[in-house]
Amino acid sequence: MPRSAPRVRRGWPAIVAALTGLAATALGAAPVTASAAPAAEDSRTVTYRGYEVDVPADWRVVDLDEDPAACLRFDRPTVYVGTPGEQQDCPARVVGRTAGLVIEPLTEVAAERISPRTAVAQRDTGRAGAAHAATGAVSAGGTIEVAVEDAGVLVTAAHAPQAEDTVRTVLERARVTGDAEPAAVPAPRESMPRAAQAGPQPGDFLGLGFDACTAPSQSAMNAWRSASPFQAIGVYISGATRGCAQPNLTAGWVEAQTSAGWHLIPIDVGRQAPCTSYANRISTDPATARQQGVTAANASVASAASLGIPAGSTLYSDIEAYTPGGSCTTGVLNYLSGWTEGLHANGYLAGVYSSAASGIRDVANAHDNPAYTRVDHIWFAWWNGRADTDTGQYAPAEYWADHQRIHQFVGEVTETHGGVSINIDRNYLDVGAGTPPPASCGGVNLTFPSYPQLAAGASGPQVSAAQCLLKSAGVTMPDDMPTGEFDDATAEAVAAFQSGRGLAADGIVGRSTWTALLSAGATPMIQNGSSGEAVSRLQRALTAARGSTLAVDGQFGPNTEAAVRSYQSSRQLDADGIVGPQTWAALQSGR
C-alpha cells in the first residue's frame, strides 16, 4: 500500500454517540438518538498522509486517488481522501447534508482555495496545533476548513447545522502520526482573479442553460461551450443544505466562464420549507423565518462577492418542493421576504427556485400581498419538456413578465458534448439584468439620535447619510457622492426628491424630507415580533417624524409598537400598532 493511501482500522472507544446518528440523517431523516448508538467497537480510524481521524464504522471511506471521478457528496456520511478529480461524476440534484470530510494533500490545492476562514495548524505544532486550529475554525455555509501543515493536508468538514459540534469533535480529536508528510499552505498569488468586470449575472440572456450539482472542470466547460447548445449554467455558491462539494468553484473559475461568454445562475441552498423532512428547515414563526431569510441573504452575498459575482446580480434561493398551505406557506413567504430584503440591502436582486406547484404557486398567490416582499425573478421546476417560460396554471403570465423567468423543463439527464458527459437539469432562460436595487450605504451611518435640518453649507455624517439615501431613492447625483458636503448638486437632488414626493421643493432636508428618505423601500406588513431591515427603516423614520429618539435594533418590540401607535394617532390613522400600507404611505410621503 502506498504511503499516502488511506488506512482504516476498527475500534475507537471515544466517538460521541451523536455522531452515529448522522448516518441516518441524509435528506432530513430523523437522526438516531444517543440511546441507539452502537457499541464503541463500531467505529473506525481513517489515516491519510499521517493525519488520523475517528468516525463511525458505517461511514463510507472513498479513496479519490483510486476513484478520482467519485462525486464528493455530503448527503451520505463519508470520508473522502486524496485529490478530487477534475470532473466528478455527480447526479444533477443532490440536496441535503449529513456530515463528511474531504482530506486532500496541500500540494495539490490551488492557492485561491485557501481563504481567510481557513484555519491553519502551522508546522511543528503536532496534534495540539491541529486541535487548536479546529477549535478556532469558523463554519461558513455548513463547512469548516482546517489546513494541517504537519500532515500536509487540507481538511474540509461539511455538516448539517445540528451536526456542527459533532464534526468539531472529530476534528479536535484528530492526530498527526509519525509517518506524516508535511507540506506548507500554498502562498496566495499576488493578484487574485476578479469577475466583477463581467457584469451582473445571469445578465441579459434568452436561451438554454443547465445546472449541475458541482461546478464542472475548466476542460469540461470549454468542451461544452464549443459543442453544446447551452450558454448558461446554474452554480451552487452557498447554503448549508448543498449536497455536493465545489472543489472547482473559485473566483478564477467564475472569471474564466464569464470571459468565455457563459451566463451564471448563482444558487443558494439553505433552509427548506417547514413541512418537509429536511434537517435544515425554515421556522413557522413569521419573524424568525424572515430573519432567517436575511441571514441567508447576507451569507450568499458574502459568497458571491468572494467569487467576484457583483452587486446587481440575481441570487436564487433554492426551495425544494413541499406541500403548500398553512404555516408551511407563510414560513416560506416570510423567509423569501427576508431573503429579498437582505439582498436588496446589499445591491443584489432576489430570485427563487422552486417547484411550480409549490413555491412558485405560493409566491404568485402572494404577488400583491403587502405583508410580503416580492422576489424579483422566478425559476420554476416543471419537467414538461417544453423550452419556454410558460408557468401555466401555477402563475399568471403577467407576473414576472419583464425578462424575469427561468424554466427548468427537463431534470436529471446525462448529456455528452465534446466528449464530456455531465448529469444535468435543462433550463430555458428569459432573463434581463434589470435595475439593480440600491446597495446599502456601505460604511455610511444612517442611524442617529436625531435628524437635524440640513441646507447648503452643512457638512458631516448626517449630510453623507442624506446623500446616500437620495442615491438609493434613484435620484441622479454625481458619482463621488456621498461627500459629506451639502453643495449645490445636493440641494438640486433634494429638490428633485421632494418634488417627486409632493413635498415643497425647497432643497432643504427637514423633518418631512428625512421621514420620506428614511422610510423609502419595500412596504411589508410588520408588527410586534417582526424583525429585519424594514423594522430598522421604520425605527429611523419614526425618530425623524416624531422628533424623538427610538432605538434602531431591527426588532419590533414594545417600544417600537408604542412609537408606531403614537405616530398613527398624531396622523389620524388607525392606531393599531401595525405598520401596513396606510402607515407606510404616510411615512413615505413625509407626513
Side-chain angles (χ1 to χ4, degrees):
M1 179 182 294
R3 189 180 183 195
S4 61
R7 297 199 305 272
V8 180
R9 70 174 186 267
R10 302 281 179 176
W12 177 67
I15 281 283
V16 291
L19 198 57
T20 62
L22 293 174
T25 306
L27 271 180
V32 178
T33 62
S35 61
E41 58 267 20
D42 288 337
S43 60
R44 58 169 56 179
T45 298
V46 180
T47 304
Y48 179 72
R49 293 177 60 101
Y51 181 79
E52 197 169 76
V53 291
D54 304 296
V55 298
D58 54 2
W59 280 32
R60 300 186 308 151
V61 177
V62 176
D63 187 342
L64 298 173
D65 294 329
E66 293 183 358
D67 185 9
C71 179
L72 275 62
R73 53 190 298 175
F74 299 130
D75 60 331
R76 307 169 180 172
T78 305
V79 181
Y80 299 93
V81 296
T83 303
E86 190 179 62
Q87 184 61 32
Q88 299 175 41
D89 184 13
C90 289
R93 302 197 62 73
V94 179
V95 178
R97 180 171 291 197
T98 58
L101 302 180
V102 181
I103 308 171
E104 54 189 309
L106 278 169
T107 53
E108 301 298 322
V109 173
E112 61 178 315
R113 285 188 55 201
I114 304 298
S115 70
R117 68 179 182 84
T118 304
V120 179
Q122 297 179 334
R123 288 286 296 273
D124 302 323
T125 58
R127 177 174 181 172
H132 179 73
T135 300
V138 175
S139 176
T143 303
I144 300 169
E145 287 184 349
V146 180
V148 183
E149 292 190 328
D150 277 336
V153 295
L154 174 66
V155 185
T156 303
H159 61 83
Q162 73 274 22
E164 180 177 346
D165 289 344
T166 298
V167 168
R168 287 191 183 277
T169 298
V170 172
L171 296 177
E172 290 167 1
R173 296 182 179 183
R175 300 169 295 282
V176 178
T177 67
D179 59 349
E181 304 174 35
V185 170
R189 288 156 50 177
E190 290 186 5
S191 61
M192 301 302 286
R194 295 184 310 130
Q197 302 163 351
Q201 299 299 314
D204 298 312
F205 179 62
L206 178 69
L208 292 174
F210 73 96
D211 60 271
C213 191
T214 188
S217 67
Q218 187 58 58
S219 60
M221 292 299 294
N222 291 342
W224 277 48
R225 187 73 181 91
S226 300
S228 82
F230 304 110
Q231 297 181 55
I233 175 174
V235 185
Y236 295 91
I237 68 166
S238 58
T241 313
R242 287 179 295 171
C244 291
Q246 293 283 12
N248 294 325
L249 184 58
T250 63
W253 187 92
V254 168
E255 180 182 51
Q257 307 332 311
T258 55
S259 297
W262 286 100
H263 297 263
L264 306 185
I265 312 169
I267 310 165
D268 175 87
V269 192
R271 294 179 182 272
Q272 298 299 305
C275 52
T276 63
S277 60
Y278 289 93
N280 189 24
R281 295 190 295 274
I282 297 166
S283 173
T284 55
D285 176 71
T288 302
R290 210 172 195 110
Q291 187 55 50
Q292 288 171 338
V294 173
T295 300
N298 290 338
S300 193
V301 165
S303 294
S306 71
L307 291 168
I309 298 172
S313 298
T314 303
L315 308 185
Y316 294 81
S317 176
D318 180 338
I319 305 291
E320 294 293 310
Y322 59 92
T323 302
S327 61
C328 198
T329 288
T330 57
V332 169
L333 292 176
N334 277 294
Y335 179 85
L336 290 174
S337 293
W339 167 257
T340 303
E341 292 164 8
L343 291 180
H344 285 183
N346 286 282
Y348 287 77
L349 293 167
V352 59
Y353 164 89
S354 193
S355 162
S358 56
I360 300 306
R361 172 176 275 165
D362 275 346
V363 296
N365 288 340
H367 186 272
D368 297 318
N369 188 334
Y372 305 111
T373 305
R374 185 191 311 154
V375 296
D376 303 297
H377 286 226
I378 58 171
W379 179 3
F380 60 100
W382 185 11
W383 294 354
N384 60 4
R386 296 168 53 184
D388 59 24
T389 55
D390 182 3
T391 46
Q393 73 270 31
Y394 301 115
E398 62 269 24
Y399 292 173
W400 298 285
D402 188 17
H403 310 291
Q404 298 165 283
R405 294 185 173 209
I406 304 176
H407 178 192
Q408 187 183 84
F409 64 96
V410 174
E412 298 177 357
V413 295
T414 297
E415 296 197 16
T416 302
H417 301 284
V420 177
S421 298
I422 308 175
N423 191 265
I424 65 166
D425 301 319
R426 274 179 161 251
N427 299 278
Y428 183 78
L429 294 81
D430 182 0
V431 293
T435 302
S440 61
C441 301
V444 177
N445 179 34
L446 302 179
T447 302
F448 301 96
S450 64
Y451 293 88
Q453 180 171 294
L454 302 175
S459 63
Q462 287 92 342
V463 174
S464 294
Q467 291 169 328
C468 177
L469 291 167
L470 287 164
K471 292 186 76 171
S472 295
V475 179
T476 301
M477 299 187 73
D479 292 339
D480 63 348
M481 295 289 184
T483 61
E485 301 293 332
F486 201 122
D487 55 11
D488 290 343
T490 301
E492 291 174 5
V494 171
F497 175 82
Q498 292 168 326
S499 178
R501 296 301 189 279
L503 299 171
D506 57 8
I508 297 172
V509 183
R511 176 178 295 187
S512 294
T513 303
W514 270 123
T515 301
L517 281 170
L518 290 163
S519 61
T523 58
M525 185 173 292
I526 53 178
Q527 57 189 311
N528 200 340
S530 298
S531 62
E533 179 270 342
V535 177
S536 296
R537 278 192 292 116
L538 169 70
Q539 291 167 332
R540 295 188 190 101
L542 288 173
T543 294
R546 298 169 60 245
S548 178
T549 302
L550 178 64
V552 178
D553 58 6
Q555 303 296 318
F556 199 126
N559 291 338
T560 300
E561 181 177 1
V564 169
R565 290 181 184 275
S566 172
Y567 173 82
Q568 291 170 326
S569 178
S570 65
R571 270 66 174 179
Q572 289 75 53
L573 301 172
D574 184 13
D576 57 4
I578 299 172
V579 181
Q582 290 184 333
T583 304
W584 279 119
L587 289 165
Q588 294 185 349
S589 63
R591 289 179 59 189

